Amino acid sequence: MQIKAPKGCRDIYGVEAGQLQYLERVYYDLAKKFGFQEIRVPTFEQTELFQRGVGETTDIVNKEMYTFEDKGGRSMTLRPEGTAPVVRAYLEHGMANLPSPLKLFYSMNVFRYERPQKGRYREFQQFGMELIGASGALAEAEILSFLDSFFKKLGLVDYQLALNSLGCNACRSAYNEKLKDYLVEHSSELCPDCVGRSQRNPLRCLDCKNPNCAPVLNSAPLPADLLCSDCQAEFTKLLAALDQLGINYYLAPRLVRGLDYYTGTVFEFQSDKLGAQTAILGGGRYDKLIAELGGEPTPAVGYAFGVERLRLELEAGGLLPEFQPRADLSIVSFADTGVEALVLANNLRAAGLVVDCDLMGRSFKAQMKQANRQGARYLLVLGTDELQAEEVEIKRLSDGSTAMVLKSEITKYIKQSEEANGR
Ligand code: AMP
């Protein structure tokens, strides 16, 4: 029987691989312009990191982790998210001593045992950022401003930024208690999931999609009801900063995030193109996490988004450029010029052209056909005569026109000719 990829895992190749390279390039370039540095962390970590960092009451830790025992009997987990590993690295390498705030970005594959569907996989790629060491609205505005610029750069306009504040540790704890009491009081009107969650992680009930729970949840107390004046003022400052930066948002008083570590501002970028899973991105402030993992109390804000969901979103909007690899020049060779063709191709590649040549000893006709099929822009026939000559004939495949060009000027000729043709 043929072996297939594991359920919920994908092979990425061809056009899609080109699209991902494009997204990575845009993301990396812009992240660097905003002064963020890349961080890469291990694919697996000690299980305890996620239990303590993400929280035992979350779906991720409860149901979705790929956990295994290694040969030394240690419990390891394939990373289900990036923030806890980045914070672990921050603490392990004493990054608190680096100039503050620390601005990190990453691209990483993460693993969650979820029911696969379009835009939901068991292994998927996330882009994320963590801005560590700065409290307050400006740090949040910087992150949201980066995201707004990134989406605009990709031509994406059809999304909404949803914002809420869960308040500081004190506001959040007070709110948790109030919400818990309210939910317990109404437990007979809630689905079994919400009844369980109301004890363990009441905030998560606000995320419930069960229509039977809606009446109770719609009247539940909201985080905003219990914000202290400092948290309220900071949130107002953020909204004013976004207005000034020209970033649109809407207030989502019921928005909470599934992971335990969020405090203060939380946000999502949402789109209606992807059906029920509206969030393409989620993030927020997590001022408690660093202390919880053994560091000094340190404010931080970050986000992560699924690259595949973004790609689907761009595809739906016709916003992905063409990614068929095309050679600038295809060199047709013969039995006695095959190696010379490779040498010439290498020289031209070093000068900046994308060059293709025959590796299979194909017939002249088959090589011409191959060049056309692969969409090469120019063609050069390298026979023994051309080996000796100073000039060779270059043919433009789009219209069949030809020109005699000095061998030393092939690259210049093709570049100029392409520019003249508006490429
Ligand atoms: P989270 O880490 O759960 O806040 O998720 C952040 C983002 O990752 C989401 O907004 C999605 O874009 C993406 N995401 C989450 N789970 C999956 C999944 N199973 N497959 C693909 N993308 C996902």
Side-chain angles (χ1 to χ4, degrees):
M1 207 177 49
Q2 196 166 354
I3 299 173
K4 297 203 163 140
K7 192 172 166 191
C9 299
R10 312 176 58 238
D11 299 308
I12 296 169
Y13 58 95
V15 172
E16 204 182 324
Q19 293 172 339
L20 288 180
Q21 280 172 24
Y22 159 73
L23 293 179
E24 276 163 1
R25 216 170 30 244
V26 175
Y27 190 70
Y28 279 47
D29 287 352
L30 194 66
K32 285 182 187 150
K33 283 205 178 110
F34 273 71
F36 284 78
Q37 290 173 22
E38 190 185 5
I39 181 161
R40 300 186 190 200
V41 293
T43 307
F44 58 90
E45 298 269 359
Q46 295 186 42
T47 302
E48 193 190 342
L49 174 68
F50 302 111
Q51 288 168 335
R52 278 173 52 194
V54 180
E56 305 254 25
T57 62
T58 58
D59 282 355
I60 292 185
V61 172
N62 259 326
K63 302 188 203 153
E64 297 171 2
M65 295 208 301
Y66 279 91
T67 297
F68 60 97
E69 200 171 277
D70 73 5
K71 292 200 185 337
R74 292 169 285 255
S75 179
M76 296 291 168
T77 293
L78 298 183
R79 59 188 178 209
E81 59 98 53
T83 302
V86 169
V87 167
R88 196 255 324 124
Y90 169 86
L91 293 172
E92 187 168 338
H93 302 292
M95 292 187 207
N97 298 322
L98 297 175
S100 205
L102 193 62
K103 297 164 94 177
L104 301 171
F105 78 93
Y106 61 77
S107 159
M108 64 169 77
N109 285 11
V110 299
F111 306 83
R112 294 185 192 171
Y113 192 78
E114 290 195 89
R115 189 195 301 256
Q117 51 180 278
K118 190 175 183 194
R120 173 167 298 158
Y121 305 102
R122 290 185 172 173
E123 178 180 11
F124 59 99
Q125 190 181 358
Q126 282 191 336
F127 286 168
M129 272 183 175
E130 314 296 347
L131 196 159
I132 303 176
S135 62
L138 282 185
E140 294 156 20
E142 168 95 328
I143 289 270
L144 293 169
S145 169
F146 168 83
L147 286 167
D148 189 63
S149 308
F150 176 60
F151 290 141
K152 283 196 178 128
K153 229 179 165 62
L154 295 172
L156 196 65
V157 283
D158 228 3
Y159 62 81
Q160 288 87 40
L161 164 59
L163 274 182
N164 194 19
S165 174
L166 304 179
C168 61
N169 212 1
C171 311
R172 190 182 152 155
S173 308
Y175 174 64
N176 240 21
E177 283 311 305
K178 185 161 177 188
L179 182 62
K180 193 166 163 184
D181 291 348
Y182 171 85
L183 295 171
V184 169
E185 209 176 292
H186 292 85
S187 57
S188 60
E189 300 152 68
L190 292 171
C191 70
D193 272 356
C194 276
V195 172
R197 281 194 288 241
S198 62
Q199 290 298 329
R200 287 179 277 115
N201 189 353
L203 245 68
R204 288 291 280 138
C205 293
L206 298 186
D207 262 351
C208 180
K209 303 279 184 287
N210 188 325
N212 297 332
C213 297
V216 174
L217 298 179
N218 285 340
S219 310
L222 294 171
D225 302 339
L226 288 164
L227 283 194
C228 66
S229 55
D230 283 355
C231 288
Q232 185 62 60
E234 213 46 52
F235 194 50
T236 308
K237 228 158 120 186
L238 171 64
L239 303 185
L242 295 180
D243 289 339
Q244 223 169 315
L245 286 160
I247 299 173
N248 293 328
Y249 57 84
Y250 78 94
L251 295 178
R254 271 164 230 287
L255 176 69
V256 292
R257 307 271 313 128
L259 314 185
D260 270 359
Y261 50 61
Y262 287 108
T263 51
T265 303
V266 288
F267 54 85
E268 275 185 5
F269 282 73
Q270 302 166 339
S271 147
D272 40 25
K273 290 217 183 70
L274 297 174
Q277 321 147 351
T278 54
I280 41 178
L281 178 150
R285 181 164 279 293
Y286 54 94
D287 290 351
K288 287 194 305 179
L289 179 63
I290 294 174
E292 252 160 46
L293 290 176
E296 292 297 315
T298 310
V301 54
Y303 69 83
F305 65 88
V307 182
E308 176 56 13
R309 283 197 203 167
L310 176 68
R311 197 192 68 77
L312 287 169
E313 184 71 22
L314 294 169
E315 196 165 58
L319 294 168
L320 287 168
E322 181 201 343
F323 286 103
Q324 283 301 355
R326 291 179 75 174
D328 295 315
L329 177 72
S330 187
I331 304 177
V332 172
S333 60
F334 301 91
D336 46 1
T337 60
V339 179
E340 282 77 5
L342 288 185
V343 173
L344 177 62
N346 273 354
N347 292 337
L348 296 172
R349 286 166 183 152
L353 290 185
V354 179
V355 186
D356 205 17
C357 46
D358 179 57
L359 305 176
M360 296 175 68
R362 283 192 169 102
S363 72
F364 179 79
K365 209 170 133 196
Q367 287 186 56
M368 297 289 280
K369 201 165 144 197
Q370 175 82 351
N372 274 307
R373 252 187 28 194
Q374 295 198 322
R377 299 185 208 277
Y378 293 82
L379 191 90
L380 182 167
V381 178
L382 191 72
T384 40
D385 289 350
E386 284 82 2
L387 279 187
Q388 310 304 327
E390 297 219 326
E391 283 189 337
V392 287
E393 188 182 77
I394 305 275
K395 181 173 184 177
R396 193 160 75 217
L397 289 172
S398 57
D399 59 5
S401 62
T402 58
M404 294 306 291
V405 179
L406 278 175
K407 273 188 189 157
S408 57
E409 302 210 327
I410 296 175
T411 307
K412 191 168 141 204
Y413 168 77
I414 290 183
K415 285 189 174 162
Q416 279 174 354
S417 171
E418 284 294 272
E419 268 166 31
N421 281 288
R423 288 223 169 82

Coordinates of all heavy atoms in Angstrom, one line a residue, residues 8 60 64 80-83 106 110-127 257-259 261-262 268-269 274 277-283 303-310, ligand 1:
G8 N -4.1 15.6 8.0 CA -3.9 17.0 8.5 C -2.6 17.7 8.2 O -2.3 18.8 8.6
I60 N -5.8 23.7 23.7 CA -4.5 23.3 23.1 C -3.8 22.3 24.0 O -3.4 21.3 23.6 CB -3.6 24.6 22.9 CG1 -4.2 25.4 21.8 CG2 -2.2 24.2 22.6 CD1 -3.3 26.6 21.4
E64 N -4.9 19.0 22.3 CA -4.4 19.1 21.0 C -2.9 18.9 20.9 O -2.3 19.0 19.8 CB -4.7 20.5 20.4 CG -6.2 20.7 20.2 CD -6.6 22.1 19.9 OE1 -5.7 23.0 19.7 OE2 -7.8 22.4 19.8
P80 N 3.0 23.7 20.0 CA 1.7 24.0 19.5 C 1.5 25.5 19.2 O 0.5 25.9 18.7 CB 0.7 23.5 20.6 CG 1.5 23.7 21.8 CD 2.9 23.5 21.5
E81 N 2.5 26.3 19.6 CA 2.4 27.7 19.4 C 3.8 28.3 19.7 O 4.7 27.5 20.2 CB 1.4 28.4 20.4 CG 1.6 28.1 21.8 CD 2.3 29.3 22.5 OE1 1.8 30.4 22.4 OE2 3.3 29.1 23.2
G82 N 4.0 29.5 19.4 CA 5.4 30.1 19.5 C 5.8 30.9 20.7 O 6.9 31.0 21.0
T83 N 4.8 31.5 21.3 CA 5.1 32.5 22.4 C 5.8 31.8 23.6 O 6.9 32.4 24.0 CB 3.8 33.2 22.9 OG1 3.2 33.8 21.7 CG2 4.1 34.2 23.9
Y106 N 9.1 35.6 14.1 CA 9.4 34.3 13.7 C 8.5 33.7 12.7 O 7.4 34.3 12.4 CB 9.3 33.3 15.0 CG 8.0 33.3 15.7 CD1 6.9 32.6 15.1 CD2 7.8 34.0 16.9 CE1 5.7 32.5 15.8 CE2 6.5 33.9 17.5 CZ 5.5 33.2 16.9 OH 4.3 33.2 17.6
V110 N 3.9 24.8 13.5 CA 3.4 24.3 14.8 C 2.4 23.2 14.6 O 2.0 22.9 13.5 CB 2.7 25.5 15.6 CG1 3.6 26.6 15.9 CG2 1.5 26.0 14.8
F111 N 2.1 22.5 15.7 CA 1.5 21.2 15.6 C 0.3 21.1 16.6 O 0.5 21.4 17.8 CB 2.5 20.0 15.9 CG 3.7 20.1 15.1 CD1 4.8 21.0 15.5 CD2 3.8 19.4 13.9 CE1 5.9 21.1 14.7 CE2 5.0 19.5 13.1 CZ 6.0 20.3 13.5
R112 N -0.9 20.8 16.1 CA -2.1 20.7 16.9 C -2.9 19.5 16.5 O -3.2 19.5 15.3 CB -2.9 22.0 17.0 CG -2.2 23.1 17.6 CD -3.0 24.3 17.7 NE -2.2 25.5 18.0 CZ -2.7 26.8 18.0 NH1 -3.9 27.0 17.7 NH2 -1.9 27.8 18.2
Y113 N -3.3 18.7 17.4 CA -4.2 17.5 17.0 C -5.6 18.0 16.9 O -6.4 18.0 17.9 CB -4.0 16.4 18.1 CG -4.6 15.1 17.6 CD1 -3.9 14.3 16.7 CD2 -5.8 14.7 18.0 CE1 -4.4 13.2 16.2 CE2 -6.4 13.5 17.6 CZ -5.7 12.8 16.7 OH -6.2 11.6 16.2
E114 N -5.9 18.6 15.7 CA -7.3 19.1 15.5 C -8.0 18.4 14.4 O -7.3 17.7 13.7 CB -7.2 20.6 15.1 CG -6.7 21.5 16.2 CD -7.0 23.0 15.9 OE1 -8.0 23.5 16.2 OE2 -6.1 23.6 15.3
R115 N -9.3 18.6 14.3 CA -10.0 18.0 13.2 C -9.7 18.8 11.9 O -10.0 19.9 11.8 CB -11.5 18.0 13.4 CG -12.3 17.2 12.5 CD -13.8 17.6 12.6 NE -14.2 17.3 14.0 CZ -15.0 16.3 14.3 NH1 -15.4 15.5 13.4 NH2 -15.4 16.1 15.5
P116 N -9.0 18.1 10.9 CA -8.6 18.9 9.8 C -9.7 19.4 8.9 O -10.7 18.7 8.8 CB -7.7 17.9 9.0 CG -7.4 16.8 9.9 CD -8.6 16.7 10.9
Q117 N -9.7 20.5 8.3 CA -10.6 21.0 7.3 C -9.9 22.2 6.6 O -8.7 22.4 6.9 CB -11.9 21.6 8.0 CG -11.6 22.5 9.2 CD -12.8 23.0 9.8 OE1 -13.4 23.9 9.3 NE2 -13.2 22.4 10.9
K118 N -10.6 22.8 5.6 CA -9.9 23.8 4.9 C -9.4 24.9 5.8 O -10.1 25.5 6.6 CB -10.9 24.5 3.9 CG -10.2 25.4 2.9 CD -11.2 25.9 1.9 CE -10.4 26.8 0.9 NZ -11.3 27.6 0.0
G119 N -8.1 25.2 5.7 CA -7.5 26.3 6.6 C -7.3 25.8 8.0 O -6.9 26.6 8.9
R120 N -7.5 24.5 8.3 CA -7.2 24.0 9.6 C -6.4 22.7 9.5 O -6.9 21.7 8.9 CB -8.4 23.8 10.5 CG -8.1 23.0 11.8 CD -9.3 23.1 12.7 NE -9.6 24.5 13.1 CZ -10.7 24.8 13.6 NH1 -11.7 24.0 13.7 NH2 -10.9 26.1 13.9
Y121 N -5.2 22.6 10.0 CA -4.3 21.5 9.8 C -3.7 21.0 11.1 O -3.9 21.7 12.1 CB -3.2 21.8 8.8 CG -3.8 22.4 7.5 CD1 -3.8 23.8 7.2 CD2 -4.4 21.5 6.6 CE1 -4.4 24.2 6.1 CE2 -5.0 22.0 5.4 CZ -5.0 23.4 5.2 OH -5.5 23.9 4.1
R122 N -3.0 19.9 11.0 CA -2.4 19.4 12.2 C -0.9 19.9 12.3 O -0.4 20.0 13.4 CB -2.5 17.9 12.3 CG -3.9 17.5 12.5 CD -4.1 16.0 12.7 NE -5.4 15.7 13.1 CZ -6.0 14.5 13.2 NH1 -5.2 13.5 13.0 NH2 -7.2 14.4 13.6
E123 N -0.4 20.2 11.2 CA 0.9 20.9 11.1 C 0.7 22.1 10.3 O 0.2 22.0 9.1 CB 2.0 20.0 10.5 CG 3.3 20.8 10.5 CD 4.5 20.1 9.9 OE1 4.3 19.0 9.3 OE2 5.6 20.6 10.0
F124 N 1.0 23.3 10.8 CA 0.8 24.5 10.0 C 1.8 25.5 10.3 O 2.5 25.4 11.4 CB -0.7 25.0 10.1 CG -1.1 25.4 11.5 CD1 -1.0 26.7 11.9 CD2 -1.5 24.4 12.4 CE1 -1.4 27.0 13.2 CE2 -1.8 24.8 13.7 CZ -1.8 26.1 14.1
Q125 N 1.9 26.5 9.4 CA 3.0 27.5 9.6 C 2.4 28.8 10.2 O 1.3 29.2 9.8 CB 3.6 27.8 8.3 CG 4.8 28.7 8.4 CD 5.4 29.0 7.0 OE1 4.9 28.6 6.0 NE2 6.5 29.8 7.0
Q126 N 3.1 29.3 11.2 CA 2.6 30.6 11.8 C 3.7 31.6 11.6 O 4.9 31.3 11.8 CB 2.3 30.4 13.3 CG 1.0 29.8 13.6 CD 0.7 29.9 15.1 OE1 1.5 30.0 16.0 NE2 -0.6 29.8 15.4
F127 N 3.3 32.8 11.3 CA 4.2 34.0 11.4 C 3.8 34.7 12.7 O 2.6 34.8 13.0 CB 4.0 35.0 10.3 CG 4.5 34.6 9.0 CD1 4.2 35.4 7.8 CD2 5.4 33.5 8.8 CE1 4.6 35.0 6.6 CE2 5.9 33.2 7.5 CZ 5.5 34.0 6.4
R257 N -9.3 35.5 24.2 CA -8.3 34.7 23.5 C -8.2 33.4 24.2 O -8.3 33.3 25.4 CB -7.0 35.3 23.3 CG -7.1 36.7 22.7 CD -7.0 36.7 21.2 NE -5.9 35.8 20.7 CZ -6.1 34.9 19.8 NH1 -7.3 34.6 19.3 NH2 -5.1 34.1 19.5
G258 N -8.0 32.3 23.5 CA -8.1 31.0 24.1 C -6.9 30.6 25.0 O -7.0 29.7 25.8
L259 N -5.9 31.4 25.0 CA -4.7 31.0 25.8 C -4.7 31.8 27.1 O -5.1 33.0 27.1 CB -3.4 31.3 25.0 CG -3.4 30.8 23.5 CD1 -2.1 31.0 22.9 CD2 -3.8 29.3 23.4
Y261 N -2.5 33.1 28.9 CA -1.5 34.1 29.2 C -1.9 35.6 28.9 O -1.2 36.5 29.2 CB -0.1 33.8 28.7 CG 0.0 33.5 27.2 CD1 -0.4 34.3 26.2 CD2 0.6 32.2 26.9 CE1 -0.2 34.0 24.9 CE2 0.8 31.9 25.6 CZ 0.4 32.8 24.6 OH 0.6 32.4 23.3
Y262 N -3.1 35.7 28.2 CA -3.4 37.1 27.8 C -3.9 38.0 28.9 O -4.7 37.5 29.7 CB -4.4 37.1 26.6 CG -3.8 36.6 25.3 CD1 -4.1 35.4 24.8 CD2 -2.9 37.5 24.7 CE1 -3.5 35.0 23.6 CE2 -2.3 37.1 23.5 CZ -2.6 35.8 23.0 OH -2.0 35.4 21.8
E268 N -8.0 40.5 17.2 CA -8.0 39.6 16.1 C -8.2 40.3 14.8 O -8.8 41.4 14.8 CB -9.2 38.6 16.3 CG -9.0 37.5 17.2 CD -10.2 36.5 17.2 OE1 -11.2 36.7 16.5 OE2 -10.1 35.6 18.0
F269 N -7.6 39.8 13.7 CA -7.9 40.3 12.4 C -8.9 39.2 11.8 O -8.5 38.0 11.8 CB -6.6 40.4 11.5 CG -5.9 41.7 11.9 CD1 -5.1 41.8 13.0 CD2 -5.9 42.7 11.0 CE1 -4.4 42.9 13.3 CE2 -5.1 43.9 11.3 CZ -4.4 44.0 12.4
L274 N -13.5 33.1 4.9 CA -13.1 31.7 5.3 C -14.2 31.0 6.1 O -14.0 30.1 6.8 CB -11.8 31.7 6.1 CG -10.6 32.2 5.3 CD1 -9.4 32.3 6.2 CD2 -10.3 31.3 4.1
Q277 N -14.4 29.9 10.4 CA -13.2 30.3 11.1 C -12.8 31.7 10.6 O -12.0 31.8 9.7 CB -12.0 29.4 10.7 CG -12.4 28.0 10.6 CD -11.5 27.3 9.5 OE1 -10.7 28.0 8.8 NE2 -11.6 26.0 9.4
T278 N -13.3 32.7 11.3 CA -13.2 34.0 10.8 C -11.8 34.6 11.1 O -11.4 35.5 10.5 CB -14.2 35.0 11.3 OG1 -14.2 34.8 12.7 CG2 -15.6 34.6 10.8
A279 N -11.1 34.1 12.1 CA -9.9 34.7 12.5 C -8.7 34.3 11.6 O -8.4 33.2 11.5 CB -9.6 34.4 14.0
I280 N -8.1 35.3 11.0 CA -6.8 35.0 10.4 C -5.6 35.2 11.3 O -4.5 34.7 11.1 CB -6.6 35.7 9.0 CG1 -7.0 37.2 9.1 CG2 -7.3 35.0 7.9 CD1 -6.7 37.9 7.8
L281 N -5.9 36.0 12.3 CA -4.8 36.3 13.2 C -5.3 36.6 14.6 O -6.3 37.2 14.8 CB -4.1 37.6 12.6 CG -2.9 38.2 13.3 CD1 -2.0 38.8 12.3 CD2 -3.3 39.2 14.4
G282 N -4.5 36.2 15.6 CA -4.9 36.6 17.0 C -3.7 37.0 17.8 O -2.6 36.4 17.6
G283 N -3.9 37.9 18.7 CA -2.8 38.2 19.6 C -3.2 39.1 20.7 O -4.4 39.4 20.9
Y303 N 1.6 38.4 18.7 CA 0.5 37.8 17.9 C 1.1 36.6 17.1 O 2.3 36.5 17.0 CB -0.1 38.8 17.0 CG 0.8 39.2 15.9 CD1 1.0 38.4 14.7 CD2 1.7 40.3 16.0 CE1 1.9 38.7 13.7 CE2 2.6 40.6 15.0 CZ 2.7 39.7 13.9 OH 3.6 40.0 12.9
A304 N 0.2 35.8 16.6 CA 0.6 34.8 15.6 C -0.5 34.7 14.6 O -1.7 34.8 14.9 CB 0.9 33.5 16.2
F305 N -0.2 34.4 13.3 CA -1.2 34.0 12.4 C -0.8 32.9 11.5 O 0.3 32.6 11.3 CB -1.6 35.2 11.6 CG -0.6 35.8 10.6 CD1 -0.5 35.3 9.4 CD2 0.2 36.8 11.0 CE1 0.5 35.8 8.5 CE2 1.2 37.3 10.2 CZ 1.3 36.8 8.9
G306 N -1.9 32.2 11.1 CA -1.7 31.0 10.2 C -1.4 31.5 8.8 O -2.2 32.2 8.2
V307 N -0.2 31.1 8.3 CA 0.2 31.6 7.0 C -0.8 31.0 5.9 O -1.1 31.7 4.9 CB 1.6 31.1 6.7 CG1 2.1 31.6 5.3 CG2 2.6 31.6 7.8
E308 N -1.2 29.8 6.1 CA -2.1 29.1 5.1 C -3.4 29.9 5.1 O -4.0 30.1 4.0 CB -2.3 27.7 5.5 CG -3.3 26.9 4.6 CD -2.9 27.0 3.2 OE1 -1.8 27.3 2.8 OE2 -3.8 26.6 2.3
R309 N -3.9 30.3 6.2 CA -5.2 31.1 6.2 C -5.0 32.4 5.5 O -5.9 32.9 4.7 CB -5.7 31.3 7.6 CG -6.4 30.1 8.1 CD -7.2 30.3 9.3 NE -7.3 29.1 10.0 CZ -7.8 29.0 11.2 NH1 -8.2 30.0 11.9 NH2 -7.9 27.8 11.8
L310 N -3.9 33.0 5.7 CA -3.6 34.3 4.9 C -3.5 34.0 3.4 O -4.1 34.7 2.6 CB -2.3 34.9 5.5 CG -1.9 36.1 4.7 CD1 -2.8 37.3 5.0 CD2 -0.5 36.6 5.1
Ligands
AMP1 P1 -3.8 30.8 18.0 O1 -2.4 30.5 18.2 O2 -4.7 29.7 18.4 O3 -4.2 32.1 18.5 O4 -4.0 30.9 16.4 C1 -3.4 32.0 15.7 C2 -3.7 31.8 14.3 O5 -3.1 30.6 13.8 C3 -5.2 31.7 13.9 O6 -5.7 32.9 13.8 C4 -5.1 31.0 12.6 O7 -4.8 31.9 11.6 C5 -3.9 30.0 12.8 N1 -4.4 28.7 13.1 C6 -4.8 28.2 14.3 N2 -5.0 26.9 14.3 C7 -4.8 26.5 13.0 C8 -4.8 25.2 12.3 N3 -5.1 24.1 13.0 N4 -4.5 25.2 11.0 C9 -4.1 26.3 10.4 N5 -4.0 27.5 11.0 C10 -4.4 27.6 12.3

